Amino acid sequence: MANFNLKINGKTQQLEVDPTTPILWVLRDHLKLVGTKYGCGISQCGACTIHLGDNAVRSCQLPVSSVGNQEITTIEGLSEHGDHPVQQAWLEEDVYQCGYCQAGQIMNASAFLKKNPNPTDEEIEGAMNGNICRCGTYIRIKKAIKTAANSKTV
Amino acid sequence: MTKIVTHYNRRSFIKVSAAAGGGMLIGFSWLNGCKSNTTEPEVGVAVPKEWFEINGYIKIGDTGMVTIYSPNPEIGQNVRTSMPMIVAEELDVPWENVVVEQAPLNTGWYQNQFAGGSLSIRLSWNALRMAGATGRRMLMEAAAKEWELKVSDLTASEGVIKEINGERTVTYGEIASKAVGIEVPKEVELKGIKDFKLIGTSIKNVDGKKIVTGEPLFGLDFHRDGMQLAMIQHPPAFGMTVKDFNEAEIKSMPGVKDAFIVDTTVEEPGGFDEKGFKQLIAIVGESTWQLMQAKKALKANWETTGELESSDMHVKRLEKALVSGEVLESRRDGNPEAAFKKAAKIIERTYSAPFIAHNTLEPMNFFANVTEDSAELIGPTQTPEALEGSVAKLLNLPLENVTVNMTRIGGGFGRRLYVHFGVEAAAISKKIGGPVKLIYSREDDMTQGTYRPTYRSVYKAGLDENNNLIAFTVKGAGLPEGPVFPNRFPAGAVENYSAEKIKAPTNVTTGAWRAPRSNFTAGAEQAFLDEVAEAAGKDPIDFRLELFDRAIKDPVGEKHEYEPERYAGVLKLVKEKANWGAPKPNVHRGVAAYFCHSTYVAEVFDMIMKNGQPIVEKVWCAVDCGIVVNRDAAKNMIQGGVIDGIGHSMYSQLTFENGAPKQMNFDKYQLIRHSQAPKEIEVFFVENEIDPTGLGEPGLPPAIGALANALYKATGQRHYHQPFVTEKQVVG
């Protein structure tokens, strides 16, 4: 067990936890931030995607001890009122079916759009290929990403 | 207007009447424990001080806010929006005033509280309309009494009751308290289809905001203070059971509270009690990560009690079954053998598909809190009533002492029809004497069983010298059960016809997987018909239309389980919308149509070759599901079904060695990804006034046929064995 001070969604959180614990389980079990989802535990499905600084990372393979001072953003902290352009675009396109993978999709899409505000379809597909949607909402996800990109406020 | 006799279970109203004196009834508030404060319901009216329960589906607040209980499990098919829409339509309230709550399992109040067979809307259509119409009528009666008028002197619309020959108006919110206790009308009038204001429009998912902000919605997100977490370890292969394990060592690991073998055998199991393993190692503790570490440290002795099967063995069993297996169902019209003898051309092809897993993205999980005389269960289940029954049997409790509440469900596809994970949670909770949430790892989930069976079918067709289809036979075997529907198309359309559904044994457990049996049969049959049409020198759509024409004008045999007019209807619609037959350079087209779960779907795939790879550029779908309830969400269902069909037939499979699947997670088990999905899917609905049928399943089966047929046009090669992308064997 070790003590950690984590910067999560603009707040500093103190906790004592096994240092090998992935951030996914720190968020879900210890901090009750359950918007970040468990899907596979081996970085294959993308359901657990969060932002570490400006980068989208898989929290299921990121030990708490490796985070240090870096700022963590989860779906709960992406925007204060749920009105990030990517979230708004998701609502506009009514993307989801079961909805379980969508937090991960949104976190990946928002980090991607920050780096590439005007992506082509192929760039979107390439960037999003690590996020599985078992319901098959891929077409709507792509459309929502384009809608968000066109809103020019990402 | 349609008049309909109400047939509520009277128990639902006893509760309402009893509360009449006090006015307010308490709503279902079991989810309060994991509600966050970030998203208040976005409703057009103020939060009420008092609520009035009108019937089991409707609660009206003094401000006019309306709560509609959605009775069925939400697995992504969007019933939490579409079922309340139907109630709101007949109640006639502005959708902006409606909030939706998940109803608990209550067999006294609701019927058919399950999510399966694309049946939610189809089976509840009348009950939901009646609930809304009854509520509207009771509110009108309350206003009539108040104003000393007859109900026929009033109108009610958009949440407001008006006097026809006068000035008085009253809102539903203002009159709701007076409607409580009013006798339930024996007969209510339903709206005319043409008068629908909500049904047929596109209403956004009621949980959209919660989904995009990461609110706790799913079973895996459920938390109650004081609860433990638990994980299980099942034997590594079908045909094995657990003997013992290093209990002392596991119990001494950090964060582990308890570890034991749990027996979840239920006496007289029902169909939804299907499960891979009855005895499991359970580890209980405080954090998921520590439990995962404890699982890794397990050293168990497993006992081999059955055969350890392999994929080679499975193929041999299917081949043998096709020759000498037990026939479960069959149909025979005319004399196919004699017809084949005089046929000018005979085409015979074999199709197969592997075992596949459901792989809902939310792994199996359930919360249970078992006490001496009760069991409380909360989580993702498609069959809460079956779970209630199984838990009651396991714990030897009366049914009424078991409660089941449903969370939003991170994918169903049939996987959560089976209740074993809820039963396991109950068994673990009983053992530790406290509340617990059971969590499966992805590996536990993928290797536990209840898979889509593996199938193998042989199709044979005979054409006469004028290229008319004179004989058609199909023999289909599956482990454990064949995929043939003897009375479906082309039964009724061919003079000499036979169909045989054959079974063969396996100890790998199987279950319903999105569009059971149809998910294989549609692809095989529609690819086969494409090849037969080609041999006959006919356009594949015209060829099918000829067969439907025969089934309409002069049907063969006694019964067939489809309406040929509607079947032909979707083919004609997709033909028109896709502009079938018009030249499209470098675009390779495939078509298929299928009827299952009471819905007709035809699809055209446009495929292009890019860098030597086939890409589905566009898909056109024509759907006849009767009345469309929630238009854009209905399109979403069909689009998802198409992508799911492409994904599983192209990429997914479980292969077995020594009784265990070799694929345990998404590194080896391939699911379709963004870049492999079609670029566009257009969906068109046949407009009619037929009662609505389901959409959760019917979009998937024809996609596999249309894909196979487009692949043939694009690559020159027929595909017979799923998954197509790894297909090595091509049967000539």
Side-chain angles (χ1 to χ4, degrees):
Chain A
M1 292 299 223
N3 282 303
F4 295 95
N5 287 311
L6 299 173
K7 287 187 202 162
I8 300 175
N9 298 334
K11 281 189 222 159
T12 301
Q13 305 266 11
Q14 276 191 339
L15 76 156
E16 194 188 352
V17 67
D18 172 353
T20 65
T21 310
I23 287 295
L24 170 66
W25 298 112
V26 169
L27 294 169
R28 291 188 59 85
D29 285 351
H30 300 274
L31 302 172
K32 305 286 178 277
L33 287 168
V34 295
T36 306
K37 300 300 189 226
Y38 167 67
C40 69
I42 58 164
S43 290
Q44 290 292 312
C45 77
C48 67
T49 306
I50 58 167
H51 296 174
L52 193 61
D54 282 340
N55 297 315
V57 295
R58 306 289 188 242
S59 65
C60 71
Q61 296 259 292
L62 184 72
V64 59
S65 58
S66 70
V67 170
N69 263 335
Q70 296 173 89
E71 189 81 40
I72 289 171
T73 307
T74 71
I75 187 73
E76 291 93 341
L78 185 62
S79 62
E80 203 179 334
H81 303 288
D83 54 358
H84 184 282
V86 172
Q87 289 170 314
Q88 284 182 327
W90 245 251
L91 290 168
E92 195 176 319
E93 302 299 337
D94 215 24
V95 167
Y96 19 71
Q97 286 183 25
C98 86
Y100 191 79
C101 74
Q102 301 294 348
Q105 305 271 4
I106 289 169
M107 293 310 282
N108 197 16
S110 54
F112 164 65
L113 282 176
K114 207 163 183 179
K115 290 182 181 150
N116 185 351
N118 287 300
T120 63
D121 282 15
E122 279 179 3
E123 286 168 341
I124 294 173
E125 287 168 12
M128 298 301 293
N129 246 7
N131 287 73
I132 291 172
C133 174
R134 171 68 179 82
C135 301
T137 62
Y138 294 130
I139 289 176
R140 285 171 187 247
I141 289 171
K142 199 196 288 176
K143 203 165 168 213
I145 291 172
K146 286 157 111 174
T147 302
N150 289 333
S151 75
K152 301 281 181 200
T153 50
V154 181
Chain B
M1 291 258 193
T2 320
K3 280 210 172 179
I4 190 155
V5 177
T6 58
H7 52 75
Y8 285 115
N9 185 318
R10 309 313 291 180
R11 271 204 278 159
S12 54
F13 296 103
I14 290 167
K15 219 170 168 183
V16 175
S17 307
M24 195 175 85
L25 262 177
I26 299 153
F28 310 114
S29 56
W30 62 273
L31 252 179
N32 285 352
C34 61
K35 254 182 196 162
S36 77
N37 301 318
T38 49
T39 34
E40 290 299 327
E42 288 175 355
V43 183
V45 285
V47 177
K49 286 201 184 82
E50 250 191 311
W51 284 102
F52 305 98
E53 200 104 12
I54 304 299
N55 58 36
Y57 293 85
I58 301 162
K59 192 171 74 170
I60 297 181
D62 52 19
T63 58
M65 191 188 281
V66 177
T67 297
I68 300 179
Y69 294 105
S70 186
N72 286 26
E74 171 61 67
I75 56 174
Q77 82 283 45
N78 208 21
V79 289
R80 259 171 67 83
T81 307
S82 54
M83 292 183 110
M85 275 173 79
I86 299 167
V87 178
E89 177 73 68
E90 293 287 353
L91 181 62
D92 214 325
V93 282
W95 184 252
E96 299 72 48
N97 295 8
V98 172
V99 288
V100 173
E101 279 187 37
Q102 180 71 51
L105 172 68
N106 188 327
T107 49
W109 289 36
Y110 311 107
Q111 294 135 26
N112 303 310
Q113 274 186 287
F114 67 89
S118 299
L119 286 166
S120 292
I121 296 292
R122 188 180 149 215
L123 293 183
S124 293
W125 172 243
N126 279 330
L128 295 165
R129 292 184 76 188
M130 226 160 40
T134 306
R136 179 170 174 272
R137 171 79 190 191
M138 287 161 76
L139 292 161
M140 290 175 84
E141 281 184 20
K145 207 169 156 190
E146 198 75 356
W147 294 338
E148 296 178 343
L149 292 170
K150 283 186 264 171
V151 171
S152 56
D153 296 329
L154 309 178
T155 60
S157 175
E158 297 289 310
V160 181
I161 298 167
K162 286 187 181 133
E163 195 181 355
I164 294 170
N165 297 310
E167 297 294 309
R168 284 180 291 189
T169 66
V170 65
T171 66
Y172 286 3
E174 289 160 351
I175 200 74
S177 65
K178 307 263 166 45
V180 176
I182 283 203
E183 200 182 329
V184 181
K186 296 225 165 34
E187 208 174 61
V188 288
E189 282 184 353
L190 298 178
K191 277 187 180 176
I193 308 288
K194 297 245 174 340
D195 298 324
F196 284 163
K197 290 180 278 192
L198 267 178
I199 292 170
T201 65
S202 296
I203 297 288
K204 288 201 158 46
N205 190 312
V206 293
D207 287 331
K209 190 71 180 273
K210 290 178 179 171
I211 291 168
V212 304
T213 55
E215 287 219 24
L217 291 172
F218 300 93
L220 209 64
D221 304 342
F222 182 80
H223 173 77
R224 181 174 293 169
D225 287 341
M227 78 175 187
Q228 301 286 323
L229 300 177
M231 295 192 85
I232 48 105
Q233 181 62 57
H234 61 69
F238 295 93
M240 281 188 175
T241 56
V242 59
K243 238 169 114 182
D244 53 37
F245 70 103
N246 53 338
E247 199 178 316
E249 189 186 333
I250 297 300
K251 279 184 179 169
S252 70
M253 287 187 70
V256 173
K257 290 276 164 94
D258 207 348
F260 45 86
I261 292 173
V262 66
D263 187 349
T264 62
T265 308
V266 174
E267 280 178 30
E268 296 168 40
F272 295 133
D273 285 314
E274 179 80 344
K275 58 187 293 175
F277 308 95
K278 294 185 177 73
Q279 288 86 28
L280 310 151
I281 299 168
I283 311 174
V284 180
E286 279 174 348
S287 85
T288 315
W289 183 245
Q290 286 172 318
L291 291 175
M292 285 177 164
Q293 302 319 301
K295 257 166 75 80
K296 278 187 201 156
L298 270 174
K299 290 186 197 87
N301 288 307
W302 312 105
E303 198 175 356
T304 303
T305 53
E307 196 164 17
L308 303 181
E309 299 176 3
S310 69
S311 290
D312 285 347
M313 202 183 273
H314 292 151
V315 171
K316 286 193 185 100
R317 276 190 203 170
L318 287 168
E319 283 170 344
K320 191 178 157 203
L322 284 170
V323 179
S324 57
E326 185 189 341
V327 177
L328 286 173
E329 274 181 66
S330 64
R331 170 173 172 142
R332 190 179 163 85
D333 297 318
N335 187 340
E337 295 78 16
F340 282 128
K341 273 186 192 146
K342 61 180 185 188
K345 282 180 208 158
I346 290 175
I347 304 129
E348 187 179 60
R349 298 289 182 266
T350 301
Y351 298 81
S352 72
F355 285 109
I356 50 176
H358 294 82
N359 287 327
T360 64
L361 216 53
E362 180 195 18
M364 298 308 109
N365 65 85
F366 233 86
F367 170 86
N369 186 15
V370 175
T371 67
E372 278 298 305
D373 55 4
S374 72
E376 179 193 13
L377 290 132
I378 298 172
T381 175
Q382 293 179 244
T383 50
E385 194 176 348
L387 176 61
E388 179 190 55
S390 295
V391 168
K393 277 196 272 185
L394 177 88
L395 303 173
N396 199 20
L397 287 174
L399 272 186
E400 54 270 28
N401 292 18
V402 180
T403 61
V404 181
N405 278 293
M406 293 159 269
T407 56
R408 188 177 182 84
I409 301 176
F413 313 108
R415 180 65 182 83
R416 289 177 161 108
L417 294 168
Y418 305 94
V419 299
H420 61 88
F421 41 94
V423 172
E424 289 157 11
I428 295 168
S429 175
K430 186 181 169 76
K431 177 80 170 60
I432 65 168
V436 70
K437 184 171 74 179
L438 169 67
I439 301 169
Y440 274 34
S441 70
R442 173 57 56 196
E443 290 81 4
D444 298 331
D445 192 288
M446 204 180 288
T447 56
Q448 194 280 341
T450 70
Y451 305 127
R452 193 278 302 273
T454 176
Y455 296 123
R456 195 170 185 87
S457 290
V458 180
Y459 286 81
K460 190 173 173 184
L463 296 166
D464 69 11
E465 60 280 5
N466 297 319
N467 287 314
N468 295 310
L469 181 64
I470 54 165
F472 183 101
T473 63
V474 54
K475 280 176 97 164
L479 305 180
E481 196 179 298
V484 175
F485 297 93
N487 296 317
R488 283 194 186 167
F489 180 77
V494 189
E495 199 66 46
N496 303 290
Y497 171 89
S498 86
E500 287 179 319
K501 173 180 168 175
I502 299 161
K503 74 172 190 177
T506 179
N507 62 12
V508 175
T509 61
T510 62
W513 191 105
R514 194 177 198 174
R517 301 177 295 286
S518 302
N519 59 42
F520 168 70
T521 291
E525 168 203 296
Q526 290 293 306
F528 181 65
L529 285 178
D530 203 69
E531 213 166 332
V532 177
E534 188 184 37
K538 290 176 184 173
D539 171 82
I541 292 185
D542 292 343
F543 176 67
R544 286 169 175 80
L545 290 175
E546 267 177 36
L547 293 171
F548 289 125
D549 203 41
R550 167 75 204 261
I552 293 166
K553 289 182 181 145
D554 181 20
V556 181
E558 286 299 304
K559 52 171 185 181
H560 30 272
E561 293 162 0
Y562 63 94
E563 292 175 51
E565 294 87 351
R566 293 179 76 186
Y567 225 139
V570 289
L571 261 176
K572 285 175 188 164
L573 182 61
V574 85
K575 183 180 179 180
E576 175 208 323
K577 295 295 182 186
N579 204 8
W580 181 265
K584 271 192 143 185
N586 303 320
V587 174
H588 313 283
R589 306 193 107 176
V591 65
Y594 203 66
F595 167 67
C596 65
H597 302 89
S598 309
T599 294
Y600 301 81
V601 182
E603 295 171 10
V604 166
F605 274 43
D606 281 5
M607 194 174 272
I608 57 164
M609 292 300 286
K610 203 171 174 185
N611 308 322
Q613 292 294 313
I615 308 266
V616 183
E617 201 177 46
K618 180 158 182 174
V619 178
W620 317 73
C621 306
V623 181
D624 184 350
C625 59
I627 294 164
V628 179
V629 177
N630 192 1
R631 195 161 294 268
D632 188 53
K635 285 185 181 176
N636 200 347
M637 273 286 94
I638 295 295
Q639 291 167 334
V642 167
I643 292 173
D644 202 11
I646 296 171
H648 283 91
S649 59
M650 281 293 277
Y651 308 110
S652 304
Q653 65 176 336
L654 288 168
T655 51
F656 286 78
E657 206 172 64
N658 297 320
K662 286 197 265 182
Q663 299 77 12
M664 301 173 77
N665 206 326
F666 299 132
D667 52 345
K668 297 219 172 71
Y669 191 105
Q670 202 183 338
L671 287 172
I672 190 168
R673 291 178 181 272
H674 277 270
S675 62
Q676 296 159 331
K679 308 303 158 200
E680 193 184 352
I681 303 175
E682 276 208 79
V683 183
F684 304 92
F685 293 100
V686 173
E687 302 296 335
N688 59 37
E689 296 192 355
I690 299 167
D691 284 356
T693 54
L695 287 168
E697 287 156 293
L700 182 147
I704 300 169
L707 171 71
N709 297 337
L711 268 174
Y712 166 65
K713 292 285 182 188
T715 65
Q717 203 178 12
R718 293 277 179 192
H719 290 68
Y720 301 96
H721 302 282
Q722 296 180 32
F724 297 146
V725 82
T726 58
E727 183 181 25
K728 290 186 188 81
Q729 175 197 12
V730 176
V731 177

